[in-house]
mmCIF file of all heavy atoms in Angstrom:
data_model
loop_
_atom_site.group_PDB
_atom_site.id
_atom_site.type_symbol
_atom_site.label_atom_id
_atom_site.label_comp_id
_atom_site.label_asym_id
_atom_site.label_seq_id
_atom_site.Cartn_x
_atom_site.Cartn_y
_atom_site.Cartn_z
ATOM 1 N N THR Q 146 5.314 4.875 -9.485
ATOM 2 C CA THR Q 146 4.066 4.071 -9.486
ATOM 3 C C THR Q 146 4.105 3.227 -10.732
ATOM 4 O O THR Q 146 4.222 3.784 -11.805
ATOM 5 C CB THR Q 146 2.859 5.037 -9.473
ATOM 6 O OG1 THR Q 146 2.821 5.829 -8.320
ATOM 7 C CG2 THR Q 146 1.563 4.232 -9.558
ATOM 8 N N ALA Q 147 4.035 1.994 -10.541
ATOM 9 C CA ALA Q 147 4.046 1.009 -11.651
ATOM 10 C C ALA Q 147 2.629 0.529 -11.998
ATOM 11 O O ALA Q 147 1.839 0.331 -11.127
ATOM 12 C CB ALA Q 147 4.921 -0.215 -11.261
ATOM 13 N N VAL Q 148 2.346 0.438 -13.324
ATOM 14 C CA VAL Q 148 1.095 -0.111 -13.776
ATOM 15 C C VAL Q 148 1.410 -1.410 -14.445
ATOM 16 O O VAL Q 148 2.211 -1.483 -15.359
ATOM 17 C CB VAL Q 148 0.422 0.849 -14.718
ATOM 18 C CG1 VAL Q 148 -0.918 0.244 -15.237
ATOM 19 C CG2 VAL Q 148 0.173 2.235 -14.068
ATOM 20 N N CYS Q 149 0.711 -2.485 -13.966
ATOM 21 C CA CYS Q 149 0.908 -3.835 -14.560
ATOM 22 C C CYS Q 149 -0.304 -4.712 -14.212
ATOM 23 O O CYS Q 149 -1.245 -4.208 -13.576
ATOM 24 C CB CYS Q 149 2.182 -4.438 -13.972
ATOM 25 S SG CYS Q 149 2.135 -4.696 -12.161
ATOM 26 N N SER Q 150 -0.273 -5.865 -14.648
ATOM 27 C CA SER Q 150 -1.439 -6.816 -14.448
ATOM 28 C C SER Q 150 -1.248 -7.437 -13.091
ATOM 29 O O SER Q 150 -0.233 -7.389 -12.396
ATOM 30 C CB SER Q 150 -1.437 -7.939 -15.551
ATOM 31 O OG SER Q 150 -0.326 -8.719 -15.381
ATOM 32 N N THR Q 151 -2.384 -8.068 -12.647
ATOM 33 C CA THR Q 151 -2.416 -8.682 -11.285
ATOM 34 C C THR Q 151 -1.265 -9.642 -11.029
ATOM 35 O O THR Q 151 -0.618 -9.639 -10.004
ATOM 36 C CB THR Q 151 -3.797 -9.457 -11.163
ATOM 37 O OG1 THR Q 151 -4.866 -8.620 -11.500
ATOM 38 C CG2 THR Q 151 -3.939 -10.009 -9.784
ATOM 39 N N ARG Q 152 -0.938 -10.494 -12.045
ATOM 40 C CA ARG Q 152 0.083 -11.509 -11.833
ATOM 41 C C ARG Q 152 1.464 -10.934 -11.649
ATOM 42 O O ARG Q 152 2.410 -11.591 -11.200
ATOM 43 C CB ARG Q 152 0.115 -12.478 -12.961
ATOM 44 C CG ARG Q 152 0.573 -11.995 -14.308
ATOM 45 C CD ARG Q 152 0.498 -13.006 -15.353
ATOM 46 N NE ARG Q 152 0.823 -12.436 -16.682
ATOM 47 C CZ ARG Q 152 1.798 -12.953 -17.421
ATOM 48 N NH1 ARG Q 152 2.458 -14.025 -17.017
ATOM 49 N NH2 ARG Q 152 2.045 -12.377 -18.576
ATOM 50 N N ASN Q 153 1.687 -9.592 -11.950
ATOM 51 C CA ASN Q 153 2.971 -8.979 -11.929
ATOM 52 C C ASN Q 153 3.167 -7.937 -10.809
ATOM 53 O O ASN Q 153 4.204 -7.301 -10.740
ATOM 54 C CB ASN Q 153 3.371 -8.325 -13.272
ATOM 55 C CG ASN Q 153 3.483 -9.432 -14.305
ATOM 56 O OD1 ASN Q 153 4.051 -10.405 -14.082
ATOM 57 N ND2 ASN Q 153 2.927 -9.205 -15.507
ATOM 58 N N VAL Q 154 2.140 -7.809 -9.971
ATOM 59 C CA VAL Q 154 2.182 -6.811 -8.877
ATOM 60 C C VAL Q 154 3.350 -7.051 -7.924
ATOM 61 O O VAL Q 154 4.076 -6.087 -7.658
ATOM 62 C CB VAL Q 154 0.798 -6.747 -8.140
ATOM 63 C CG1 VAL Q 154 0.898 -6.007 -6.847
ATOM 64 C CG2 VAL Q 154 -0.312 -6.175 -9.029
ATOM 65 N N ASP Q 155 3.514 -8.249 -7.461
ATOM 66 C CA ASP Q 155 4.631 -8.533 -6.566
ATOM 67 C C ASP Q 155 5.971 -8.241 -7.212
ATOM 68 O O ASP Q 155 6.867 -7.814 -6.574
ATOM 69 C CB ASP Q 155 4.538 -9.974 -6.037
ATOM 70 C CG ASP Q 155 3.365 -10.133 -5.078
ATOM 71 O OD1 ASP Q 155 2.835 -9.160 -4.502
ATOM 72 O OD2 ASP Q 155 2.905 -11.302 -4.911
ATOM 73 N N MET Q 156 6.088 -8.694 -8.453
ATOM 74 C CA MET Q 156 7.393 -8.503 -9.148
ATOM 75 C C MET Q 156 7.696 -6.995 -9.272
ATOM 76 O O MET Q 156 8.799 -6.572 -9.047
ATOM 77 C CB MET Q 156 7.325 -9.127 -10.596
ATOM 78 C CG MET Q 156 8.699 -9.070 -11.223
ATOM 79 S SD MET Q 156 8.865 -7.667 -12.371
ATOM 80 C CE MET Q 156 7.682 -8.013 -13.577
ATOM 81 N N ALA Q 157 6.698 -6.187 -9.608
ATOM 82 C CA ALA Q 157 6.897 -4.724 -9.751
ATOM 83 C C ALA Q 157 7.357 -4.178 -8.391
ATOM 84 O O ALA Q 157 8.253 -3.304 -8.330
ATOM 85 C CB ALA Q 157 5.627 -4.014 -10.186
ATOM 86 N N ARG Q 158 6.806 -4.623 -7.297
ATOM 87 C CA ARG Q 158 7.248 -4.126 -5.975
ATOM 88 C C ARG Q 158 8.677 -4.641 -5.725
ATOM 89 O O ARG Q 158 9.529 -3.882 -5.180
ATOM 90 C CB ARG Q 158 6.309 -4.682 -4.889
ATOM 91 C CG ARG Q 158 5.030 -3.947 -4.804
ATOM 92 C CD ARG Q 158 4.229 -4.292 -3.553
ATOM 93 N NE ARG Q 158 3.003 -3.520 -3.500
ATOM 94 C CZ ARG Q 158 1.811 -4.043 -3.802
ATOM 95 N NH1 ARG Q 158 1.693 -5.303 -4.095
ATOM 96 N NH2 ARG Q 158 0.724 -3.310 -3.809
ATOM 97 N N SER Q 159 8.972 -5.832 -6.153
ATOM 98 C CA SER Q 159 10.342 -6.417 -5.880
ATOM 99 C C SER Q 159 11.439 -5.695 -6.557
ATOM 100 O O SER Q 159 12.554 -5.724 -6.162
ATOM 101 C CB SER Q 159 10.359 -7.881 -6.169
ATOM 102 O OG SER Q 159 10.386 -8.155 -7.531
ATOM 103 N N ILE Q 160 11.137 -5.017 -7.682
ATOM 104 C CA ILE Q 160 12.161 -4.296 -8.413
ATOM 105 C C ILE Q 160 12.214 -2.799 -8.033
ATOM 106 O O ILE Q 160 12.984 -2.027 -8.629
ATOM 107 C CB ILE Q 160 12.028 -4.444 -9.935
ATOM 108 C CG1 ILE Q 160 10.680 -3.910 -10.461
ATOM 109 C CG2 ILE Q 160 12.290 -5.864 -10.366
ATOM 110 C CD1 ILE Q 160 10.568 -3.834 -11.974
ATOM 111 N N GLY Q 161 11.371 -2.441 -7.011
ATOM 112 C CA GLY Q 161 11.516 -1.119 -6.482
ATOM 113 C C GLY Q 161 10.330 -0.149 -6.559
ATOM 114 O O GLY Q 161 10.331 0.951 -6.063
ATOM 115 N N ALA Q 162 9.224 -0.589 -7.237
ATOM 116 C CA ALA Q 162 8.120 0.338 -7.375
ATOM 117 C C ALA Q 162 7.555 0.728 -5.965
ATOM 118 O O ALA Q 162 7.393 -0.110 -5.122
ATOM 119 C CB ALA Q 162 7.023 -0.294 -8.208
ATOM 120 N N ASP Q 163 7.316 1.979 -5.765
ATOM 121 C CA ASP Q 163 6.748 2.491 -4.482
ATOM 122 C C ASP Q 163 5.287 2.155 -4.354
ATOM 123 O O ASP Q 163 4.788 1.935 -3.295
ATOM 124 C CB ASP Q 163 7.045 4.006 -4.299
ATOM 125 C CG ASP Q 163 8.489 4.310 -4.334
ATOM 126 O OD1 ASP Q 163 9.206 3.950 -3.414
ATOM 127 O OD2 ASP Q 163 8.921 4.946 -5.353
ATOM 128 N N HIS Q 164 4.612 2.249 -5.498
ATOM 129 C CA HIS Q 164 3.177 2.037 -5.591
ATOM 130 C C HIS Q 164 2.910 1.208 -6.857
ATOM 131 O O HIS Q 164 3.639 1.349 -7.816
ATOM 132 C CB HIS Q 164 2.417 3.319 -5.717
ATOM 133 C CG HIS Q 164 2.842 4.405 -4.721
ATOM 134 N ND1 HIS Q 164 2.514 4.405 -3.383
ATOM 135 C CD2 HIS Q 164 3.730 5.406 -4.912
ATOM 136 C CE1 HIS Q 164 3.076 5.459 -2.821
ATOM 137 N NE2 HIS Q 164 3.806 6.105 -3.658
ATOM 138 N N VAL Q 165 1.901 0.376 -6.765
ATOM 139 C CA VAL Q 165 1.568 -0.452 -7.917
ATOM 140 C C VAL Q 165 0.086 -0.415 -8.179
ATOM 141 O O VAL Q 165 -0.721 -0.511 -7.257
ATOM 142 C CB VAL Q 165 1.961 -1.947 -7.738
ATOM 143 C CG1 VAL Q 165 1.664 -2.709 -8.934
ATOM 144 C CG2 VAL Q 165 3.490 -2.033 -7.439
ATOM 145 N N ILE Q 166 -0.256 -0.162 -9.450
ATOM 146 C CA ILE Q 166 -1.624 -0.144 -9.912
ATOM 147 C C ILE Q 166 -1.882 -1.296 -10.739
ATOM 148 O O ILE Q 166 -1.210 -1.542 -11.794
ATOM 149 C CB ILE Q 166 -2.009 1.162 -10.691
ATOM 150 C CG1 ILE Q 166 -1.893 2.350 -9.735
ATOM 151 C CG2 ILE Q 166 -3.399 1.052 -11.282
ATOM 152 C CD1 ILE Q 166 -2.097 3.691 -10.523
ATOM 153 N N ASP Q 167 -2.786 -2.190 -10.346
ATOM 154 C CA ASP Q 167 -3.244 -3.340 -11.174
ATOM 155 C C ASP Q 167 -4.232 -2.834 -12.207
ATOM 156 O O ASP Q 167 -5.324 -2.430 -11.814
ATOM 157 C CB ASP Q 167 -3.832 -4.403 -10.224
ATOM 158 C CG ASP Q 167 -4.383 -5.581 -10.960
ATOM 159 O OD1 ASP Q 167 -4.499 -5.562 -12.194
ATOM 160 O OD2 ASP Q 167 -4.754 -6.581 -10.287
ATOM 161 N N TYR Q 168 -3.858 -2.757 -13.429
ATOM 162 C CA TYR Q 168 -4.736 -2.157 -14.409
ATOM 163 C C TYR Q 168 -6.040 -2.922 -14.642
ATOM 164 O O TYR Q 168 -6.992 -2.395 -15.191
ATOM 165 C CB TYR Q 168 -4.032 -1.951 -15.791
ATOM 166 C CG TYR Q 168 -3.660 -3.217 -16.496
ATOM 167 C CD1 TYR Q 168 -4.641 -3.964 -17.291
ATOM 168 C CD2 TYR Q 168 -2.385 -3.665 -16.543
ATOM 169 C CE1 TYR Q 168 -4.282 -5.080 -17.913
ATOM 170 C CE2 TYR Q 168 -2.038 -4.807 -17.306
ATOM 171 C CZ TYR Q 168 -2.993 -5.510 -17.967
ATOM 172 O OH TYR Q 168 -2.661 -6.654 -18.669
ATOM 173 N N LYS Q 169 -6.095 -4.164 -14.156
ATOM 174 C CA LYS Q 169 -7.314 -4.914 -14.226
ATOM 175 C C LYS Q 169 -8.338 -4.468 -13.191
ATOM 176 O O LYS Q 169 -9.547 -4.786 -13.260
ATOM 177 C CB LYS Q 169 -7.014 -6.449 -14.120
ATOM 178 C CG LYS Q 169 -6.288 -6.976 -15.302
ATOM 179 C CD LYS Q 169 -6.053 -8.474 -15.192
ATOM 180 C CE LYS Q 169 -5.294 -8.950 -16.420
ATOM 181 N NZ LYS Q 169 -5.179 -10.379 -16.424
ATOM 182 N N GLN Q 170 -7.799 -3.794 -12.151
ATOM 183 C CA GLN Q 170 -8.622 -3.405 -11.027
ATOM 184 C C GLN Q 170 -8.901 -1.835 -10.961
ATOM 185 O O GLN Q 170 -9.885 -1.417 -10.387
ATOM 186 C CB GLN Q 170 -7.962 -3.803 -9.659
ATOM 187 C CG GLN Q 170 -7.671 -5.237 -9.556
ATOM 188 C CD GLN Q 170 -8.925 -6.126 -9.520
ATOM 189 O OE1 GLN Q 170 -9.945 -5.760 -8.976
ATOM 190 N NE2 GLN Q 170 -8.869 -7.271 -10.191
ATOM 191 N N GLU Q 171 -7.983 -1.099 -11.586
ATOM 192 C CA GLU Q 171 -8.033 0.351 -11.431
ATOM 193 C C GLU Q 171 -7.536 1.061 -12.729
ATOM 194 O O GLU Q 171 -6.548 0.625 -13.294
ATOM 195 C CB GLU Q 171 -7.180 0.751 -10.254
ATOM 196 C CG GLU Q 171 -7.154 2.249 -9.973
ATOM 197 C CD GLU Q 171 -6.271 2.553 -8.736
ATOM 198 O OE1 GLU Q 171 -5.786 1.589 -8.003
ATOM 199 O OE2 GLU Q 171 -5.950 3.707 -8.578
ATOM 200 N N ASN Q 172 -8.170 2.103 -13.150
ATOM 201 C CA ASN Q 172 -7.747 2.868 -14.268
ATOM 202 C C ASN Q 172 -6.911 4.074 -13.809
ATOM 203 O O ASN Q 172 -7.425 4.928 -13.103
ATOM 204 C CB ASN Q 172 -9.009 3.357 -15.077
ATOM 205 C CG ASN Q 172 -8.581 4.099 -16.337
ATOM 206 O OD1 ASN Q 172 -7.572 4.735 -16.420
ATOM 207 N ND2 ASN Q 172 -9.520 4.118 -17.233
ATOM 208 N N PHE Q 173 -5.635 4.059 -14.144
ATOM 209 C CA PHE Q 173 -4.762 5.101 -13.661
ATOM 210 C C PHE Q 173 -5.201 6.509 -14.019
ATOM 211 O O PHE Q 173 -4.948 7.482 -13.327
ATOM 212 C CB PHE Q 173 -3.339 4.933 -14.161
ATOM 213 C CG PHE Q 173 -3.159 5.259 -15.620
ATOM 214 C CD1 PHE Q 173 -2.777 6.623 -15.944
ATOM 215 C CD2 PHE Q 173 -3.429 4.412 -16.679
ATOM 216 C CE1 PHE Q 173 -2.623 7.053 -17.291
ATOM 217 C CE2 PHE Q 173 -3.340 4.829 -17.981
ATOM 218 C CZ PHE Q 173 -2.920 6.117 -18.276
ATOM 219 N N SER Q 174 -5.937 6.653 -15.139
ATOM 220 C CA SER Q 174 -6.308 7.928 -15.621
ATOM 221 C C SER Q 174 -7.590 8.438 -14.954
ATOM 222 O O SER Q 174 -7.970 9.588 -15.101
ATOM 223 C CB SER Q 174 -6.490 7.935 -17.150
ATOM 224 O OG SER Q 174 -7.641 7.261 -17.535
ATOM 225 N N ARG Q 175 -8.261 7.649 -14.136
ATOM 226 C CA ARG Q 175 -9.520 8.024 -13.543
ATOM 227 C C ARG Q 175 -9.506 7.895 -12.009
ATOM 228 O O ARG Q 175 -10.526 8.022 -11.351
ATOM 229 C CB ARG Q 175 -10.616 7.169 -14.094
ATOM 230 C CG ARG Q 175 -10.744 7.307 -15.620
ATOM 231 C CD ARG Q 175 -12.103 6.907 -16.083
ATOM 232 N NE ARG Q 175 -12.262 7.055 -17.501
ATOM 233 C CZ ARG Q 175 -12.613 8.156 -18.178
ATOM 234 N NH1 ARG Q 175 -12.798 9.253 -17.497
ATOM 235 N NH2 ARG Q 175 -12.674 8.181 -19.442
ATOM 236 N N ASN Q 176 -8.322 7.723 -11.436
ATOM 237 C CA ASN Q 176 -8.200 7.551 -9.981
ATOM 238 C C ASN Q 176 -7.978 8.871 -9.246
ATOM 239 O O ASN Q 176 -7.848 8.890 -8.010
ATOM 240 C CB ASN Q 176 -7.148 6.463 -9.555
ATOM 241 C CG ASN Q 176 -5.773 6.856 -9.951
ATOM 242 O OD1 ASN Q 176 -5.490 8.024 -10.251
ATOM 243 N ND2 ASN Q 176 -4.890 5.837 -9.880
#
């Protein structure tokens, strides 16, 4: 699971991340 900004979500998926959390939309520690 990759955590990155909105503009990098697609890039994170393209390098193999199974799941992506946009930290501007969701807090990984509270989900």
Side-chain angles (χ1 to χ4, degrees):
T146 299
V148 179
C149 61
S150 66
T151 308
R152 70 184 177 124
N153 295 317
V154 166
D155 291 336
M156 187 268 292
R158 285 192 180 104
S159 75
I160 60 171
D163 299 293
H164 314 280
V165 181
I166 296 173
D167 176 351
Y168 69 77
K169 293 182 178 185
Q170 305 295 321
E171 181 181 349
N172 183 334
F173 77 92
S174 73
R175 301 201 180 273
N176 64 15

